[in-house]
Amino acid sequence: MAPPVASAKLTLSCPLYASDFDPQDNNFLLVGGGGGEGRSGVGNKIVLLVSLVVIEASLTASQALINTSRKQTISNIVDIDLSREEDSVTSLAIASSTSSSVIAFAGINSSEKDQIAGKNEHFRSFRLEYPPKKRTDGRDVDGGAQEYKGQTAPLGRASLFKPSTGSKKETYQRITRLSRPCIVNGGQLGAIATGLAPEGEIVLFDAKTNGPMGPWVEARLSTGKGEAVDLDIIGLNDTEDVPPGTFTVAYCTDYVVHAFKMTLKQDRPPEPQYAYNEPHPDTFSSTSARSKLRSLRFITPSLLLMLQNRPERQGADLLLLELSSHLNGRIISLKPLHKGIKSATALSVTHLPSSAGSRHVSEHVVAVAGQDTSISIFTLEHSPNPPFKSVKLRLHTRLPSVHPLQITSLAFSTFVPPSEPENSNLPQYLKLASTSIANTVVVHTLPLLPYPPSSPNSSRQRYVLTPPGRSESTQMTFSIVVATLVIAVSAFLLQAFVEIRGASPEYLGAKGWLSQRIHDYIAVPYVLGDHTSTSSTPTVIPSAPSSSASTAISSLTDQLSSFPSSFQQQATSTLPNIRRFVTDSPEKAKEAVSSALDAASSAALELNAASQAYSAKGSSTVSGAASAVSSEASSVISPASTKYHHIRDLISRHHHHRRHETPSPGKPIPNMIVHHDEESGHMKAGFHREGSGEAGKRFEELSHKEKEIWMERLQKAGVWAKEEGEAVLKGVFFGGAAQLVGQAVG
């Protein structure tokens, strides 16, 4: 989580459209704006305020120099009123500065009357003197208030664009951009671009040759009907294969990025190259509109950061464009912005210098303003030279609702690392300024951290906003690997579980992993489906119920009267179902008959158990009645038409008894036994108590060949499938020709 960001806010007397920090002193900020020509407002004035210097125009146009020497305070020092007969400040940039003054360029259109006459001196330059640094607190040595008497003077005005040929004179200086001074010869290249012109134009000039008639123009570029949306300049200071003082310039229209190299005082005009073209949507897209480029900034001479807005206000993205030596570009990274940002309005980038021991890593800080007045701050880590294989673009923090209305500009201060060792322990900050059409300017102070944090050699430390971490591609790969492992382990455990419970064929051999006791407790049979007989023999329902079944039921009811009342209630609870299903009309459904068979078998089992616990008088009667009921119920339907549900129910009941009943001398646990009649080919199933004389072997005691024979019989009968596994048959007896309590099911 990012640390809290301190901020300071100031409301001026006019809407603000542009801002720039002094590159030598981040305590001073220049902002400009205004209400335009012909609007009433505050009168012209120069105001001295404590601690800060501000240059501000009247309501019609203004520039303000802001001092942000204290991270949570901001105030203006000087207001410079511009003519109310001219346009507002649309763009500005600080060209150079010293400890006592600063020179700034600004775009301010002449009056409408002058423009109609073909004279539009849109390029303006100013010199602003700073107050004494020891007295920026607004007080003299003796504690009394002091008056700042520094001078602010215009240096020149010029018309650098070609005269407009349109019927309406709306051309203005939309962009003012300056490069950093060249290390080799101190040269500085500047560029301005038109807005609302019939034909777009970019003018490149020498920023060091400023005079009353304006700077020396190096080149002019026509952009046709597509005006430059944004442009940027970077010097090639460390490159050996280009002449000293060479610059790379990139500009973008709505859909295309152009780039070219040039030097000051070169003989031939520059030749822009296509670096990037916004792709068209695919055939199946819901819209034919393309994303539009909003802004761009150089990260290195070979790496360009671009901001694009998706069509129909569907969001915005940051794109990294890698430029080849021939200035052909390819996208190497795309970062979608927050879903609350439907479109972006401003972009700013600054570089955090690397130390001598960290030349292989460089960090930039990126700020993006959205239409929702939020500011998203990112960190960008990359290698200083191509190829850029490890690029880390990470969100640092998001500042919501910074201004009441739309944000018009963003500007980072220039961070200069402390040069003195004793100052390296002091907190270091990076400042971010933003302006709005709501007359507000906000300065955020971002704390920087030394990295590595515990390095004994301060010269090898560098300051970062966010400590280095894994790249997004590495993080994504790590997440995918972890997710795959979790899924694989879960699938393995699930397969082992279903094998142990007998719901799946054995692939892992999981049955042998557990002790016999735990396996018997877990291995509960599953019924995977309605495995019906494939016989095409039609169902045969008798024309009338058997009278002997009714007689047996009546006899059974009479005999139970001699038993205790608690047992009578338990034993006779199934008799109404038996009576209803057995004596129903022939139109009764097969499912009802099958349920009656199950109920009869259950009643017989309970009666047999009761016969062993009570007197001999009741025992023979109950056993006989139970046999009569189950035998008669079995004859109600044809064996060829049965769906074999009964054996499945008996198997489930068999495992229920083994899990939940405790054997005792008077009541052993009943076992299930399945018998195959060789003559009829039918199978019978039922329960018997251990020691009752039933002949047969448990399934696990059968030989391999016998197991295969029985499993084939059960599978043909449709009462067992291979997918259920052999665990469901464990403990079941097979064979024997005793008197079973059960029914014919095959």
Side-chain angles (χ1 to χ4, degrees):
M1 182 177 178
V5 179
S7 65
K9 182 177 180 181
L10 179 67
T11 301
L12 301 178
S13 59
C14 64
L16 302 174
Y17 301 111
S19 60
D20 195 17
F21 273 100
D22 181 350
Q24 303 298 327
D25 190 344
N26 63 4
N27 290 325
F28 295 99
L29 169 70
L30 192 67
V31 298
E37 180 182 355
R39 298 188 182 184
S40 61
V42 180
N44 300 332
K45 58 184 178 181
I46 296 178
V47 180
L48 174 65
L49 299 179
V50 176
S51 297
L52 300 174
V53 176
V54 176
I55 301 176
E56 182 187 42
S58 63
L59 183 62
T60 60
S62 70
Q63 291 180 311
L65 187 65
I66 307 298
N67 185 341
T68 60
S69 58
R70 300 174 67 181
K71 62 179 181 179
Q72 292 185 341
T73 62
I74 180 173
S75 58
N76 58 343
I77 298 177
V78 174
D79 294 344
I80 299 179
D81 292 333
L82 304 177
S83 173
R84 286 179 290 179
E85 301 300 325
E86 295 183 329
D87 204 354
S88 62
V89 178
T90 56
S91 62
L92 62 85
I94 294 180
S96 61
S97 65
T98 64
S99 60
S100 59
S101 64
V102 62
I103 295 177
F105 297 151
I108 304 172
N109 271 3
S110 298
S111 65
E112 185 176 355
K113 180 179 178 181
D114 291 341
Q115 293 184 56
I116 294 175
K119 181 182 179 181
N120 182 15
E121 297 174 326
H122 56 83
F123 187 87
R124 311 291 177 90
S125 59
F126 300 88
R127 181 190 298 275
L128 298 89
E129 290 189 359
Y130 287 151
K133 295 218 170 196
K134 292 184 180 180
R135 303 193 180 193
T136 53
D137 61 352
R139 293 192 173 274
D140 207 340
V141 178
D142 57 2
Q146 63 152 342
E147 181 181 0
Y148 168 58
K149 298 182 179 180
Q151 295 182 356
T152 301
L155 297 180
R157 55 174 61 196
S159 179
L160 302 183
F161 296 139
K162 294 179 180 179
S164 175
T165 58
S167 57
K168 293 186 66 176
K169 310 299 182 181
E170 298 178 327
T171 303
Y172 70 98
Q173 187 174 316
R174 180 178 187 176
I175 302 169
T176 302
R177 192 82 67 229
L178 302 175
S179 72
R180 294 184 181 276
C182 183
I183 296 177
V184 177
N185 55 12
Q188 187 175 21
L189 182 66
I192 58 175
T194 60
L196 298 179
E199 184 175 345
E201 185 180 14
I202 297 175
V203 177
L204 300 162
F205 59 90
D206 186 350
K208 294 296 185 180
T209 59
N210 182 48
M213 302 304 295
W216 175 268
V217 175
E218 295 285 344
R220 296 179 183 272
L221 297 175
S222 174
T223 61
K225 297 297 182 181
E227 289 188 309
V229 177
D230 199 7
L231 64 83
D232 199 19
I233 310 170
I234 190 170
L236 304 179
N237 297 322
D238 300 329
T239 305
E240 298 179 355
D241 56 351
V242 297
T246 301
F247 300 89
T248 299
V249 181
Y251 69 92
C252 64
T253 60
D254 285 339
Y255 305 110
V256 181
V257 177
H258 300 266
F260 59 89
K261 296 178 181 179
M262 69 170 294
T263 60
L264 297 175
K265 306 297 188 293
Q266 71 178 21
D267 298 332
R268 54 188 176 83
E271 298 178 359
Q273 305 293 323
Y274 280 97
Y276 176 75
N277 196 347
E278 281 284 1
H280 290 270
D282 56 46
T283 306
F284 303 100
S285 177
S286 60
T287 177
S288 60
R290 290 191 286 172
S291 298
K292 287 187 177 183
L293 295 169
R294 179 63 182 85
S295 187
L296 57 79
R297 291 292 185 273
F298 274 107
I299 303 299
T300 71
S302 302
L303 191 61
L304 195 63
L305 180 68
M306 303 185 300
L307 177 64
Q308 72 173 11
N309 289 324
R310 301 175 202 161
E312 300 177 357
R313 296 174 63 86
Q314 296 179 355
D317 308 289
L318 284 173
L319 296 87
L320 278 171
L321 183 72
E322 183 178 3
L323 298 175
S324 67
S325 58
H326 300 289
L327 299 181
N328 298 320
R330 67 181 184 94
I331 299 297
I332 61 173
S333 180
L334 185 147
K335 179 75 172 183
L337 299 184
H338 189 272
K339 62 182 180 180
I341 299 177
K342 305 304 180 184
S343 63
T345 61
L347 171 70
S348 184
V349 176
T350 190
H351 177 235
L352 297 179
S354 300
S355 63
S358 58
R359 295 184 180 274
H360 299 291
V361 180
S362 184
E363 181 172 287
H364 282 71
V365 184
V366 180
V368 180
Q371 97 295 337
D372 58 350
T373 70
S374 69
I375 298 178
S376 301
I377 301 176
F378 299 86
T379 58
L380 174 61
E381 292 182 11
H382 60 89
S383 58
N385 300 308
F388 302 100
K389 295 182 179 180
S390 179
V391 176
K392 305 173 186 178
L393 182 59
R394 296 181 294 171
L395 178 66
H396 173 72
T397 188
R398 184 170 181 267
L399 308 172
S401 303
V402 178
H403 292 270
L405 297 176
Q406 179 180 329
I407 296 175
T408 54
S409 73
L410 294 173
F412 274 113
S413 64
T414 301
F415 174 68
V416 180
S419 57
E420 300 296 334
E422 59 270 14
N423 295 333
S424 60
N425 295 326
L426 298 177
Q428 302 297 320
Y429 299 97
L430 180 68
K431 296 180 181 179
L432 171 64
S434 57
T435 60
S436 167
I437 59 175
N439 304 2
T440 52
V441 54
V442 177
V443 175
H444 288 90
T445 304
L446 308 173
L448 299 179
L449 304 174
Y451 183 82
S454 58
S455 175
N457 187 358
S458 60
S459 63
R460 301 182 64 87
Q461 279 187 331
R462 62 187 178 103
Y463 287 88
V464 297
L465 185 62
T466 302
R470 289 191 294 260
S471 65
E472 288 193 352
S473 58
T474 304
Q475 183 64 40
M476 179 64 70
T477 303
F478 177 77
S479 301
I480 292 175
V481 170
V482 172
T484 303
L485 290 176
V486 170
I487 294 173
V489 171
S490 301
F492 177 82
L493 295 177
L494 180 61
Q495 176 64 26
F497 181 73
V498 296
E499 283 189 20
I500 292 173
R501 300 202 72 178
S504 170
E506 289 193 52
Y507 297 105
L508 305 176
K511 292 182 180 179
W513 299 351
L514 304 177
S515 64
Q516 187 66 34
R517 180 177 180 182
I518 298 177
H519 179 272
D520 292 343
Y521 183 80
I522 296 178
V524 178
Y526 279 84
V527 179
L528 298 180
D530 186 13
H531 300 281
T532 61
S533 174
T534 57
S535 173
S536 59
T537 306
T539 301
V540 179
I541 296 184
S543 59
S546 173
S547 61
S548 59
S550 300
T551 303
I553 293 173
S554 299
S555 176
L556 175 62
T557 305
D558 295 338
Q559 296 296 331
L560 289 174
S561 61
S562 61
F563 286 77
S565 58
S566 60
F567 176 76
Q568 291 182 32
Q569 181 179 0
Q570 178 183 359
T572 59
S573 60
T574 57
L575 293 181
N577 290 332
I578 300 174
R579 186 186 302 279
R580 175 166 56 85
F581 290 128
V582 174
T583 60
D584 262 345
S585 62
E587 290 79 11
K588 203 66 176 175
K590 292 184 294 179
E591 287 76 7
V593 177
S594 179
S595 299
L597 296 175
D598 292 344
S601 178
S602 298
L605 175 63
E606 296 298 334
L607 293 175
N608 279 329
S611 66
Q612 298 178 14
Y614 291 91
S615 63
K617 175 184 177 181
S619 175
S620 59
T621 304
V622 172
S623 300
S627 299
V629 171
S630 61
S631 176
E632 195 62 36
S634 301
S635 64
V636 174
I637 63 173
S638 172
S641 65
T642 305
K643 291 198 173 184
Y644 302 104
H645 288 189
H646 189 53
I647 287 184
R648 290 184 178 278
D649 295 336
L650 293 179
I651 291 176
S652 299
R653 204 169 299 152
H654 163 74
H655 286 276
H656 175 79
H657 286 308
R658 293 183 64 84
R659 290 179 60 185
H660 298 287
E661 291 191 16
T662 303
S664 61
K667 186 180 180 182
I669 296 178
N671 294 309
M672 178 181 174
I673 184 168
V674 179
H675 173 69
H676 182 260
D677 190 342
E678 299 292 345
E679 296 181 359
S680 63
H682 298 162
M683 285 189 295
K684 292 185 178 181
F687 286 93
H688 80 285
R689 302 282 179 177
E690 294 183 0
S692 60
E694 298 289 357
K697 295 181 180 180
R698 296 181 187 271
F699 180 78
E700 55 268 28
E701 297 173 353
L702 298 176
S703 65
H704 179 72
K705 185 175 182 180
E706 290 174 332
K707 287 182 180 180
E708 290 184 348
I709 294 174
W710 276 108
M711 287 190 293
E712 183 179 359
R713 290 172 180 173
L714 295 173
Q715 191 171 6
K716 286 183 178 180
V719 297
W720 177 83
K722 289 184 178 181
E723 291 78 6
E724 298 180 66
E726 299 179 9
V728 297
L729 303 177
K730 188 174 182 180
V732 178
F733 283 80
F734 289 87
Q739 296 181 356
L740 300 174
V741 180
Q743 63 165 329
V745 295

PDB file of all heavy atoms in Angstrom, residues 483-503:
ATOM      1  N   ALA A 483      -1.809 -21.322  -9.590  1.00  0.00           N
ATOM      2  CA  ALA A 483      -3.187 -21.757  -9.833  1.00  0.00           C
ATOM      3  C   ALA A 483      -3.216 -23.161 -10.440  1.00  0.00           C
ATOM      4  O   ALA A 483      -4.068 -23.993 -10.081  1.00  0.00           O
ATOM      5  CB  ALA A 483      -3.890 -20.762 -10.752  1.00  0.00           C
ATOM      6  N   THR A 484      -2.277 -23.453 -11.347  1.00  0.00           N
ATOM      7  CA  THR A 484      -2.217 -24.782 -11.959  1.00  0.00           C
ATOM      8  C   THR A 484      -1.898 -25.849 -10.918  1.00  0.00           C
ATOM      9  O   THR A 484      -2.499 -26.935 -10.915  1.00  0.00           O
ATOM     10  CB  THR A 484      -1.163 -24.802 -13.076  1.00  0.00           C
ATOM     11  OG1 THR A 484      -1.480 -23.793 -14.039  1.00  0.00           O
ATOM     12  CG2 THR A 484      -1.125 -26.154 -13.758  1.00  0.00           C
ATOM     13  N   LEU A 485      -0.954 -25.550 -10.024  1.00  0.00           N
ATOM     14  CA  LEU A 485      -0.621 -26.510  -8.972  1.00  0.00           C
ATOM     15  C   LEU A 485      -1.801 -26.765  -8.046  1.00  0.00           C
ATOM     16  O   LEU A 485      -2.072 -27.908  -7.665  1.00  0.00           O
ATOM     17  CB  LEU A 485       0.583 -26.006  -8.171  1.00  0.00           C
ATOM     18  CG  LEU A 485       1.934 -26.010  -8.898  1.00  0.00           C
ATOM     19  CD1 LEU A 485       3.012 -25.397  -8.011  1.00  0.00           C
ATOM     20  CD2 LEU A 485       2.334 -27.428  -9.290  1.00  0.00           C
ATOM     21  N   VAL A 486      -2.511 -25.698  -7.683  1.00  0.00           N
ATOM     22  CA  VAL A 486      -3.671 -25.869  -6.801  1.00  0.00           C
ATOM     23  C   VAL A 486      -4.736 -26.731  -7.474  1.00  0.00           C
ATOM     24  O   VAL A 486      -5.318 -27.638  -6.859  1.00  0.00           O
ATOM     25  CB  VAL A 486      -4.240 -24.491  -6.413  1.00  0.00           C
ATOM     26  CG1 VAL A 486      -5.576 -24.644  -5.698  1.00  0.00           C
ATOM     27  CG2 VAL A 486      -3.259 -23.739  -5.527  1.00  0.00           C
ATOM     28  N   ILE A 487      -4.995 -26.494  -8.751  1.00  0.00           N
ATOM     29  CA  ILE A 487      -5.994 -27.282  -9.473  1.00  0.00           C
ATOM     30  C   ILE A 487      -5.551 -28.732  -9.593  1.00  0.00           C
ATOM     31  O   ILE A 487      -6.354 -29.666  -9.412  1.00  0.00           O
ATOM     32  CB  ILE A 487      -6.248 -26.662 -10.862  1.00  0.00           C
ATOM     33  CG1 ILE A 487      -6.897 -25.281 -10.711  1.00  0.00           C
ATOM     34  CG2 ILE A 487      -7.126 -27.568 -11.710  1.00  0.00           C
ATOM     35  CD1 ILE A 487      -7.037 -24.534 -12.014  1.00  0.00           C
ATOM     36  N   ALA A 488      -4.251 -28.954  -9.887  1.00  0.00           N
ATOM     37  CA  ALA A 488      -3.756 -30.318 -10.031  1.00  0.00           C
ATOM     38  C   ALA A 488      -3.853 -31.092  -8.716  1.00  0.00           C
ATOM     39  O   ALA A 488      -4.294 -32.249  -8.698  1.00  0.00           O
ATOM     40  CB  ALA A 488      -2.307 -30.296 -10.532  1.00  0.00           C
ATOM     41  N   VAL A 489      -3.459 -30.460  -7.618  1.00  0.00           N
ATOM     42  CA  VAL A 489      -3.541 -31.128  -6.315  1.00  0.00           C
ATOM     43  C   VAL A 489      -4.993 -31.415  -5.949  1.00  0.00           C
ATOM     44  O   VAL A 489      -5.327 -32.501  -5.448  1.00  0.00           O
ATOM     45  CB  VAL A 489      -2.853 -30.274  -5.231  1.00  0.00           C
ATOM     46  CG1 VAL A 489      -3.110 -30.848  -3.846  1.00  0.00           C
ATOM     47  CG2 VAL A 489      -1.354 -30.188  -5.484  1.00  0.00           C
ATOM     48  N   SER A 490      -5.883 -30.465  -6.203  1.00  0.00           N
ATOM     49  CA  SER A 490      -7.306 -30.673  -5.907  1.00  0.00           C
ATOM     50  C   SER A 490      -7.872 -31.823  -6.730  1.00  0.00           C
ATOM     51  O   SER A 490      -8.630 -32.657  -6.217  1.00  0.00           O
ATOM     52  CB  SER A 490      -8.085 -29.388  -6.171  1.00  0.00           C
ATOM     53  OG  SER A 490      -7.599 -28.325  -5.378  1.00  0.00           O
ATOM     54  N   ALA A 491      -7.519 -31.876  -8.014  1.00  0.00           N
ATOM     55  CA  ALA A 491      -8.006 -32.965  -8.866  1.00  0.00           C
ATOM     56  C   ALA A 491      -7.467 -34.316  -8.396  1.00  0.00           C
ATOM     57  O   ALA A 491      -8.182 -35.327  -8.410  1.00  0.00           O
ATOM     58  CB  ALA A 491      -7.608 -32.703 -10.318  1.00  0.00           C
ATOM     59  N   PHE A 492      -6.189 -34.327  -7.967  1.00  0.00           N
ATOM     60  CA  PHE A 492      -5.593 -35.567  -7.469  1.00  0.00           C
ATOM     61  C   PHE A 492      -6.325 -36.061  -6.226  1.00  0.00           C
ATOM     62  O   PHE A 492      -6.672 -37.249  -6.123  1.00  0.00           O
ATOM     63  CB  PHE A 492      -4.117 -35.330  -7.172  1.00  0.00           C
ATOM     64  CG  PHE A 492      -3.406 -36.514  -6.587  1.00  0.00           C
ATOM     65  CD1 PHE A 492      -2.929 -37.528  -7.397  1.00  0.00           C
ATOM     66  CD2 PHE A 492      -3.221 -36.618  -5.217  1.00  0.00           C
ATOM     67  CE1 PHE A 492      -2.275 -38.623  -6.860  1.00  0.00           C
ATOM     68  CE2 PHE A 492      -2.573 -37.709  -4.667  1.00  0.00           C
ATOM     69  CZ  PHE A 492      -2.098 -38.716  -5.497  1.00  0.00           C
ATOM     70  N   LEU A 493      -6.570 -35.158  -5.280  1.00  0.00           N
ATOM     71  CA  LEU A 493      -7.255 -35.558  -4.052  1.00  0.00           C
ATOM     72  C   LEU A 493      -8.686 -35.986  -4.328  1.00  0.00           C
ATOM     73  O   LEU A 493      -9.195 -36.935  -3.717  1.00  0.00           O
ATOM     74  CB  LEU A 493      -7.233 -34.393  -3.053  1.00  0.00           C
ATOM     75  CG  LEU A 493      -5.845 -33.978  -2.537  1.00  0.00           C
ATOM     76  CD1 LEU A 493      -5.970 -32.771  -1.612  1.00  0.00           C
ATOM     77  CD2 LEU A 493      -5.180 -35.139  -1.805  1.00  0.00           C
ATOM     78  N   LEU A 494      -9.356 -35.311  -5.252  1.00  0.00           N
ATOM     79  CA  LEU A 494     -10.727 -35.686  -5.589  1.00  0.00           C
ATOM     80  C   LEU A 494     -10.774 -37.059  -6.237  1.00  0.00           C
ATOM     81  O   LEU A 494     -11.657 -37.873  -5.923  1.00  0.00           O
ATOM     82  CB  LEU A 494     -11.334 -34.632  -6.520  1.00  0.00           C
ATOM     83  CG  LEU A 494     -12.777 -34.886  -6.972  1.00  0.00           C
ATOM     84  CD1 LEU A 494     -13.708 -34.924  -5.772  1.00  0.00           C
ATOM     85  CD2 LEU A 494     -13.213 -33.817  -7.963  1.00  0.00           C
ATOM     86  N   GLN A 495      -9.819 -37.338  -7.141  1.00  0.00           N
ATOM     87  CA  GLN A 495      -9.782 -38.651  -7.776  1.00  0.00           C
ATOM     88  C   GLN A 495      -9.517 -39.750  -6.746  1.00  0.00           C
ATOM     89  O   GLN A 495     -10.150 -40.813  -6.777  1.00  0.00           O
ATOM     90  CB  GLN A 495      -8.705 -38.668  -8.857  1.00  0.00           C
ATOM     91  CG  GLN A 495      -8.502 -40.013  -9.540  1.00  0.00           C
ATOM     92  CD  GLN A 495      -9.728 -40.469 -10.302  1.00  0.00           C
ATOM     93  OE1 GLN A 495     -10.533 -39.644 -10.737  1.00  0.00           O
ATOM     94  NE2 GLN A 495      -9.891 -41.775 -10.452  1.00  0.00           N
ATOM     95  N   ALA A 496      -8.596 -39.480  -5.824  1.00  0.00           N
ATOM     96  CA  ALA A 496      -8.332 -40.466  -4.772  1.00  0.00           C
ATOM     97  C   ALA A 496      -9.570 -40.698  -3.913  1.00  0.00           C
ATOM     98  O   ALA A 496      -9.884 -41.837  -3.544  1.00  0.00           O
ATOM     99  CB  ALA A 496      -7.157 -40.001  -3.910  1.00  0.00           C
ATOM    100  N   PHE A 497     -10.295 -39.642  -3.603  1.00  0.00           N
ATOM    101  CA  PHE A 497     -11.482 -39.767  -2.758  1.00  0.00           C
ATOM    102  C   PHE A 497     -12.559 -40.607  -3.433  1.00  0.00           C
ATOM    103  O   PHE A 497     -13.148 -41.493  -2.816  1.00  0.00           O
ATOM    104  CB  PHE A 497     -12.004 -38.367  -2.433  1.00  0.00           C
ATOM    105  CG  PHE A 497     -13.208 -38.349  -1.540  1.00  0.00           C
ATOM    106  CD1 PHE A 497     -13.095 -38.648  -0.193  1.00  0.00           C
ATOM    107  CD2 PHE A 497     -14.455 -38.039  -2.050  1.00  0.00           C
ATOM    108  CE1 PHE A 497     -14.199 -38.634   0.631  1.00  0.00           C
ATOM    109  CE2 PHE A 497     -15.564 -38.025  -1.230  1.00  0.00           C
ATOM    110  CZ  PHE A 497     -15.439 -38.320   0.114  1.00  0.00           C
ATOM    111  N   VAL A 498     -12.815 -40.332  -4.722  1.00  0.00           N
ATOM    112  CA  VAL A 498     -13.876 -41.085  -5.396  1.00  0.00           C
ATOM    113  C   VAL A 498     -13.453 -42.530  -5.631  1.00  0.00           C
ATOM    114  O   VAL A 498     -14.305 -43.433  -5.663  1.00  0.00           O
ATOM    115  CB  VAL A 498     -14.273 -40.402  -6.718  1.00  0.00           C
ATOM    116  CG1 VAL A 498     -14.866 -39.034  -6.462  1.00  0.00           C
ATOM    117  CG2 VAL A 498     -13.082 -40.282  -7.669  1.00  0.00           C
ATOM    118  N   GLU A 499     -12.140 -42.780  -5.792  1.00  0.00           N
ATOM    119  CA  GLU A 499     -11.691 -44.169  -5.912  1.00  0.00           C
ATOM    120  C   GLU A 499     -11.907 -44.924  -4.608  1.00  0.00           C
ATOM    121  O   GLU A 499     -12.352 -46.071  -4.602  1.00  0.00           O
ATOM    122  CB  GLU A 499     -10.212 -44.209  -6.302  1.00  0.00           C
ATOM    123  CG  GLU A 499      -9.946 -43.910  -7.769  1.00  0.00           C
ATOM    124  CD  GLU A 499      -8.504 -44.166  -8.145  1.00  0.00           C
ATOM    125  OE1 GLU A 499      -7.829 -44.914  -7.408  1.00  0.00           O
ATOM    126  OE2 GLU A 499      -8.062 -43.629  -9.177  1.00  0.00           O
ATOM    127  N   ILE A 500     -11.578 -44.294  -3.496  1.00  0.00           N
ATOM    128  CA  ILE A 500     -11.740 -44.953  -2.197  1.00  0.00           C
ATOM    129  C   ILE A 500     -13.207 -45.252  -1.930  1.00  0.00           C
ATOM    130  O   ILE A 500     -13.558 -46.308  -1.401  1.00  0.00           O
ATOM    131  CB  ILE A 500     -11.145 -44.072  -1.082  1.00  0.00           C
ATOM    132  CG1 ILE A 500      -9.621 -43.991  -1.230  1.00  0.00           C
ATOM    133  CG2 ILE A 500     -11.512 -44.612   0.296  1.00  0.00           C
ATOM    134  CD1 ILE A 500      -8.962 -43.015  -0.289  1.00  0.00           C
ATOM    135  N   ARG A 501     -14.072 -44.340  -2.324  1.00  0.00           N
ATOM    136  CA  ARG A 501     -15.505 -44.551  -2.084  1.00  0.00           C
ATOM    137  C   ARG A 501     -16.158 -45.424  -3.139  1.00  0.00           C
ATOM    138  O   ARG A 501     -17.349 -45.688  -3.072  1.00  0.00           O
ATOM    139  CB  ARG A 501     -16.216 -43.213  -2.022  1.00  0.00           C
ATOM    140  CG  ARG A 501     -15.691 -42.304  -0.923  1.00  0.00           C
ATOM    141  CD  ARG A 501     -16.692 -41.267  -0.514  1.00  0.00           C
ATOM    142  NE  ARG A 501     -17.797 -41.838   0.232  1.00  0.00           N
ATOM    143  CZ  ARG A 501     -18.797 -41.122   0.739  1.00  0.00           C
ATOM    144  NH1 ARG A 501     -18.805 -39.815   0.575  1.00  0.00           N
ATOM    145  NH2 ARG A 501     -19.774 -41.698   1.391  1.00  0.00           N
ATOM    146  N   GLY A 502     -15.374 -45.849  -4.147  1.00  0.00           N
ATOM    147  CA  GLY A 502     -15.910 -46.776  -5.126  1.00  0.00           C
ATOM    148  C   GLY A 502     -16.714 -46.139  -6.228  1.00  0.00           C
ATOM    149  O   GLY A 502     -17.446 -46.838  -6.935  1.00  0.00           O
ATOM    150  N   ALA A 503     -16.618 -44.839  -6.420  1.00  0.00           N
ATOM    151  CA  ALA A 503     -17.393 -44.162  -7.450  1.00  0.00           C
ATOM    152  C   ALA A 503     -16.628 -44.009  -8.748  1.00  0.00           C
ATOM    153  O   ALA A 503     -17.122 -43.383  -9.678  1.00  0.00           O
ATOM    154  CB  ALA A 503     -17.832 -42.781  -6.958  1.00  0.00           C
TER     155      ALA A 503
END
